[in-house]
Amino acid sequence: MAVAETQLYSKVLNKVKNRSTCALLESLLSMGFPAHIAQKALAATGHKTADEASKWLHSHCNDPSLDDPIPQEYALYLCPTGPLHDKLQEFWNESKNQCARNKAHEIFPHITLCDFFTCEDRKVEFLHEALKKVGDRFLNLFPPAISLSLHSSVSYLGFFINDAHANVIKEFAVAFATEASILADCRVKPCTKQLHLTLAHKFYPHHQKTLEQLAKSISPGQSCQWTAALYSRDMRFVNYQILQALFQYKPQNIDELMLNTGDLIYVDRSQQSDVSDGWVIGTSHRTGCRGFLPENYTEKANESDTWVKHREYTFTPASGLLPKNENEPRRKLNGEVHIPVMTKSVTQTLAFQLSQAIALRRGLLVMRHGERVDHVFGKSWIQQCLTADGKYHRADLNFPASLPKRRDGIKHFEYDPPLSCCGVFQSRLVGEALLEKQEAVSRVYCSPALRCIQTAQHVLEGLKLEQKIKIRVEPGLFEWTKWEANKIIPSFMALTELTEATYNIDPSYRCTFPLSSLVPSESYEEYVSRCSAVIKQILSDCTSNGIILIVGHGSSLDSFTRPVLGLPARDSNDFASLVRKIPSLGMCFCEELKEENRWQMINPPVKTLTHGSNAAFNWRNGILDS
C-alpha cells in the first residue's frame, strides 16, 4: 500500500466510530486488496460483510472501471412496512395488470427525504452514523401514525402527507442532511416540497379513473411502521434502462457479454443505433463488463433493482393494530426485497397488546451460546490463523472473517474465543425463529464471554431488535470457573471495546456480580450460590411482562432455572453429566404463573437447530489417488 494511502486509511480509522466497518476494511486489506478498491467494494455492497465485498471484487476482476474514483450516489427514503406495505403491493400488481407499467413501478413505494447525492467511498460509514444519530434523536418525535390524503391528477396519483406530520419528517431530513455534511462532508439536499407517496406517475390519461378506483382499496389509516432507509446506486447509469437475464448466455465472440440467469444489465437506448437487430449493448451490474447480448434473453426490470440498501432506521409507532390476515405470505415489492417489520414483528405485537391493555406473559429464556471456534478447530485454533507477523487470517471458511480489536492482543482470544461462522448463522437463525413466533423479548442479559455477546447480538439481529434492545453484560452469568482450562478468570473484552466493535452494549447497566468477584476454580457450592443470587436479582429488576433472554453457557440452562423453579441444586456429578449433553443454542424456557405465584418450565418457543459434522477436506487426498 502506498504511504499516502496508508496515512489516509489511518486517518479514517482514527475518526471512525463504527468499528465494524473498520473490521470489514481490515479483512479486505489482509486479503491484499488496495484500500481504495476495498472501500469501493464495501460501498457497492452496502457495508454488510467482508465476504460479500470480496465476492464483488472477484466478480469485478475484469471491470475496466474498477480503479476509477467514481463514488456512488445515495438517497434517503421513508418506506412503509407492514399492512400498508401489503396493500400497496396489491395496488402495484393490479395497476400493472389493468393499466400496464407506469413510471411509479420503477421504484418501490417511498417518501423521498433527501435527493440523490454523492459520497466518497471512504466516508460512507459516516452516512450510516448520521442516520443512526439522527434517528435516535427523532425516535420519540416521529408521528406514531402518518396522516395520508389521496391526490389525483391526469398524470399523478398518490398520497400527500399532512402538514403537521410532514414538518416533523422534513425536520428529520434536514437534521440528517446537516449531520451527513458534517460527518461525511456531503452536500445533501433535503426535500422541502410537499411530501408525498407516489402510487402512479406518467400514466395514460384514460387510466386515471381505473387507478383512482384501485387506490380506494388502500386505507390511509392502515397500520404501518415507517423505516428511513439509505440506498445507493451507480451514478454512471442513471436513466439507463435495466434489463434482467432470463437465461444463461455463453459468449460466442470476444465482444459479447456473459449472462447468468438473473443478471441485471444497464442499457443506454441512445447507443443502440448501430447494433444488429435483436441485440443490445449493455454493462453487467454483476461484473461491470460491457458487451453485446441477445435482447430476447432478457426482460425489463425496475430501476431500483440495481440499488443497494445500506442502513435503515425503523420508527416504532406508539400504538398500532394487527391486521386480520396475519398469516398471508410476504412477497417482493417491485423487485426490491424489503425486510419489513411485519405483522409478526415483536415491536408491533407489543404495541398492539399494550394499546389493547392485554397482559403479556412474563418468561425467562435461558440459552447457550452458538458454536465456538475452538470447539471446531481445537485449542490450537489461534496458531492456525496467525501469520508470521502475528496478523489474523482466515484459515478455514468456518473461521470468523475477522476478529474484533482488543487492547490486550489477539492471543487473549485463546481463552475468550469467538463464535465460528456457523455459530453466527445459528444465532441469527434462532432470532429469526423467535420473531416468527412473535416472542416479545424485552431484556437481554449476557455472560461477559465474547461468544455469548456475539450470540446475543446475532439473536437480536434475527429478531430485528439490535437497535432497540441493549445487551446487559453480567459477569455473574459466566460459567463455573472450575471448568476454565487455564485455571484463571479469562481476560474479557472491555465494554468500550465491545461497543467499538459495534455490539449494542448497555453502558449504564450496573452488574449484580462484579467481574472482580469471580473466583478462579470456585467450588460447586460457590457457583450455585452465585447463580441463584444473580438470577433472582435479574427477575427482581425485570418485573414487567415480556421475555427476559439470558445468553450464557451450557451450565446456565440448569443453574439459572432451578432457583427460579424452586428446585434444589443437583449433585455436582449429575450436573456435569447433564451439561455435556447440551448443544450449541440449546435453550430452556420458564413461564411465570402469576396467580399461583410460581414459575413452570415449558417447551421453548423454538426448536434447537440439529446439524451433522463436516470434516475438513483436501482435494489432493483421495481425488488424485489411483
Side-chain angles (χ1 to χ4, degrees), residues 2-236:
V3 174
E5 191 176 307
T6 303
Q7 291 174 345
L8 178 60
Y9 171 51
S10 300
K11 183 179 179 181
V12 173
L13 271 187
N14 291 333
K15 189 176 178 183
V16 172
K17 295 182 180 179
N18 185 348
R19 294 290 170 178
S20 70
T21 302
C22 293
L24 297 179
L25 182 55
E26 286 178 344
S27 180
L28 294 175
L29 293 175
S30 69
M31 299 176 193
F33 296 113
H36 71 287
I37 290 180
Q39 289 163 344
K40 186 171 189 175
L42 289 171
T45 56
H47 285 74
K48 294 180 177 65
T49 66
D51 281 344
E52 284 192 40
S54 177
K55 289 177 182 177
W56 186 92
L57 284 167
H58 283 108
S59 65
H60 282 72
C61 61
N62 296 317
D63 185 347
S65 66
L66 191 59
D67 280 313
D68 294 346
I70 303 173
Q72 295 273 308
E73 281 190 325
Y74 298 82
L76 186 65
Y77 287 164
L78 190 64
C79 304
T81 65
L84 178 58
H85 169 276
D86 296 340
K87 283 295 183 181
L88 291 168
Q89 169 73 76
E90 293 175 11
F91 173 85
W92 239 249
N93 292 337
E94 284 302 312
S95 62
K96 191 183 296 184
N97 290 337
Q98 296 188 33
C99 304
R101 290 171 61 95
N102 61 68
K103 193 67 175 176
H105 289 113
E106 289 292 326
I107 306 174
F108 45 84
H110 67 279
I111 299 170
T112 301
L113 300 183
C114 297
D115 294 330
F116 274 99
F117 59 93
T118 58
C119 178
E120 295 179 52
D121 293 338
R122 63 189 179 92
K123 297 180 180 179
V124 174
E125 53 206 307
F126 297 119
L127 292 182
H128 303 167
E129 183 181 341
L131 178 58
K132 173 68 168 60
K133 191 173 181 180
V134 176
D136 287 345
R137 193 190 311 165
F138 277 79
L139 182 59
N140 296 323
L141 302 175
F142 203 83
I146 296 177
S147 178
L148 305 172
S149 57
L150 190 64
H151 174 80
S152 179
S153 70
V154 292
S155 62
Y156 176 85
L157 179 70
F159 289 115
F160 281 4
I161 315 302
N162 170 276
D163 286 344
H165 294 165
N167 289 337
V168 176
I169 298 171
K170 288 179 183 178
E171 288 174 9
F172 168 77
V174 170
F176 170 79
T178 303
E179 286 292 339
S181 65
I182 295 172
L183 296 176
D185 194 24
C186 295
R187 292 187 176 182
V188 183
K189 182 182 178 182
C191 185
T192 56
K193 297 180 181 179
Q194 172 70 58
L195 294 184
H196 56 275
L197 191 159
T198 300
L199 297 177
H201 182 43
K202 292 187 177 179
F203 48 84
Y204 292 112
H206 64 273
H207 284 153
Q208 182 180 357
K209 288 187 178 180
T210 303
L211 291 169
E212 287 176 353
Q213 193 64 34
L214 290 173
K216 290 179 181 178
S217 66
I218 306 172
S219 171
Q222 195 86 38
S223 178
C224 176
Q225 282 186 315
W226 293 91
T227 296
L230 188 67
Y231 287 90
S232 74
R233 69 182 182 186
D234 194 322
M235 64 184 297
R236 297 172 299 166

Side-chain angles (χ1 to χ4, degrees), residues 22 40 50 152 164 170 258 392 433 453 455 467 515 542 571 585 594 616:
C22 293
K40 186 171 189 175
S152 179
K170 288 179 183 178
M258 172 74 178
Y392 175 84
I453 291 164
T455 299
Q467 300 296 330
L515 187 60
C542 302
D571 177 85
L585 272 302
K594 287 191 175 182

Side-chain angles (χ1 to χ4, degrees), residues 346 365 367-370 419 423-435 439 441 443-444 451-466 469 471 549-551 585 587 606:
V346 171
L365 181 60
M367 180 187 299
R368 188 191 180 192
H369 57 75
L419 294 179
V424 171
F425 168 76
Q426 291 171 333
S427 304
R428 191 173 288 115
L429 193 65
V430 167
E432 291 170 353
L434 289 170
L435 175 61
E439 295 299 338
V441 174
R443 295 285 187 276
V444 177
R451 57 192 180 274
C452 298
I453 291 164
Q454 289 178 321
T455 299
Q457 179 76 17
H458 292 298
V459 168
L460 285 173
E461 287 176 3
L463 276 163
K464 312 297 183 191
L465 293 176
E466 71 273 19
I469 296 181
I471 300 169
L549 173 60
I550 305 289
V551 181
L585 272 302
M587 62 189 81
V606 298

Side-chain angles (χ1 to χ4, degrees), residues 484-620:
E484 276 302 288
N486 59 343
K487 303 303 179 185
I488 62 173
I489 303 301
S491 174
F492 300 117
M493 291 179 66
L495 297 185
T496 52
E497 291 177 311
L498 293 168
T499 302
E500 288 173 353
T502 69
Y503 299 117
N504 195 15
I505 305 299
D506 186 354
S508 64
Y509 174 66
R510 296 293 175 261
C511 57
T512 299
F513 198 91
L515 187 60
S516 58
S517 298
L518 282 178
V519 180
S521 300
E522 65 189 334
S523 68
Y524 182 62
E525 290 71 27
E526 288 174 325
Y527 170 69
V528 168
S529 175
R530 163 164 64 93
C531 293
S532 179
V534 168
I535 196 62
K536 287 179 180 178
Q537 185 60 50
I538 288 175
L539 292 179
S540 175
D541 292 341
C542 302
T543 56
S544 58
N545 292 328
I547 292 176
I548 305 163
L549 173 60
I550 305 289
V551 181
H553 307 266
S555 56
S556 305
L557 273 68
D558 188 72
S559 56
F560 291 113
T561 57
R562 292 184 77 82
V564 174
L565 299 171
L567 299 174
R570 295 181 189 273
D571 177 85
S572 60
N573 291 329
D574 293 339
F575 174 74
S577 178
L578 170 70
V579 172
R580 281 194 290 268
K581 301 175 184 177
I582 296 174
S584 300
L585 272 302
M587 62 189 81
C588 287
F589 188 77
C590 298
E591 183 182 48
E592 184 184 35
L593 302 175
K594 287 191 175 182
E595 295 181 359
E596 300 176 30
N597 193 30
R598 67 181 181 88
W599 292 73
Q600 67 172 355
M601 186 174 287
I602 61 175
N603 287 329
V606 298
K607 294 182 178 180
T608 305
L609 174 69
T610 304
H611 57 84
S613 60
N614 193 53
F617 172 70
N618 188 329
W619 60 272
R620 294 183 184 276

Side-chain angles (χ1 to χ4, degrees), residues 285-303:
H285 173 71
R286 179 176 60 85
T287 67
C289 296
R290 179 178 168 85
F292 293 93
L293 62 141
E295 189 170 11
N296 62 346
Y297 275 54
T298 67
E299 66 177 355
K300 287 184 180 179
N302 302 311
E303 177 187 340

Side-chain angles (χ1 to χ4, degrees), residues 361-400:
R361 65 173 174 175
R362 186 172 176 231
L364 176 69
L365 181 60
V366 184
M367 180 187 299
R368 188 191 180 192
H369 57 75
E371 180 185 88
R372 48 192 281 186
V373 70
D374 58 334
H375 278 189
V376 182
F377 299 101
K379 295 179 180 178
S380 64
W381 71 275
I382 284 190
Q383 284 69 42
Q384 299 175 46
C385 61
L386 282 183
T387 59
D389 57 354
K391 292 185 178 180
Y392 175 84
H393 79 99
R394 194 178 192 183
D396 185 279
L397 286 179
N398 202 20
F399 274 93

